[in-house]
Amino acid sequence: MQLSSSSFANGMTIPRRFTCDGEDRSPPLSWTGAQAGTRSFVLLCDDPDAPAGIWHHWAAYDIAADCVELAEGAAQHAGKQGFRQATNDFRRPGYGGPCPPHRHGRHRYHFRLLALSIDHLPLGDNPSCQAVEREARKHLLAEAVLVGVYER
């Protein structure tokens, strides 16, 4: 399985419009090669270079198995597109773009797509990104990673 973006290549800079310094929109993401038996997807984004440890920026879950992309800004219309979103480490549901501390150097942002063997994750209201990932990994079939970087 492969995860990509039309806005940045693996290992390259995430454009400003997808960060807290810009419009804070979720980037366009697409994927190919989902494993047979995939019944849903989870999309995660985190920053392993955050000063206090991993910072969770996004968890979109219950993405339909026949979905092969999320358009730019999809996080702003999740309900209309049929997927759910967790509460991120900014303490709000949905996408929170890259926002490293000023002069903290380059941070890596891992966008991870998880293919799952279950249609819907059994989660309560307003789960955290960590809760989504923890539950998703119990049903994991495959994983793809796209890394972008950003520096302020």
Side-chain angles (χ1 to χ4, degrees):
M1 190 166 69
Q2 290 202 325
L3 177 62
S4 62
S5 176
S6 58
S7 292
F8 63 95
N10 192 48
M12 301 306 289
T13 299
I14 298 170
R16 184 181 178 96
R17 73 179 176 274
F18 305 118
T19 75
C20 69
D21 295 320
E23 299 169 42
D24 213 14
R25 295 171 57 83
S26 57
L29 298 164
S30 60
W31 50 92
T32 59
Q35 183 169 330
T38 297
R39 294 176 60 186
S40 71
F41 295 100
V42 166
L43 188 58
L44 305 167
C45 178
D46 56 58
D47 173 4
D49 302 316
I54 295 173
W55 188 268
H56 302 90
H57 287 262
W58 193 24
Y61 62 102
D62 291 351
I63 301 169
D66 61 354
C67 185
V68 295
E69 67 179 349
L70 291 181
E72 179 176 328
Q76 285 81 1
H77 309 287
K80 211 161 61 170
Q81 295 191 1
F83 65 90
R84 300 180 68 193
Q85 298 181 98
T87 299
N88 59 40
D89 285 350
F90 296 108
R91 295 191 176 112
R92 62 180 191 257
Y95 176 80
C99 198
H102 288 281
R103 293 180 285 288
H104 195 260
R106 188 173 84 155
H107 282 223
R108 295 165 295 151
Y109 295 87
H110 294 188
F111 290 85
R112 294 177 289 133
L113 181 72
L114 309 181
L116 306 183
S117 62
I118 188 171
D119 293 326
H120 301 286
L121 291 177
L123 298 164
D125 291 337
N126 304 314
S128 67
C129 293
Q130 298 94 315
V132 169
E133 181 173 7
R134 193 168 36 253
E135 187 61 34
R137 291 205 173 276
K138 296 176 186 175
H139 310 281
L140 184 65
L141 296 173
E143 182 172 357
V145 180
L146 170 66
V147 178
V149 298
Y150 189 69
E151 183 173 354
R152 298 170 84 193

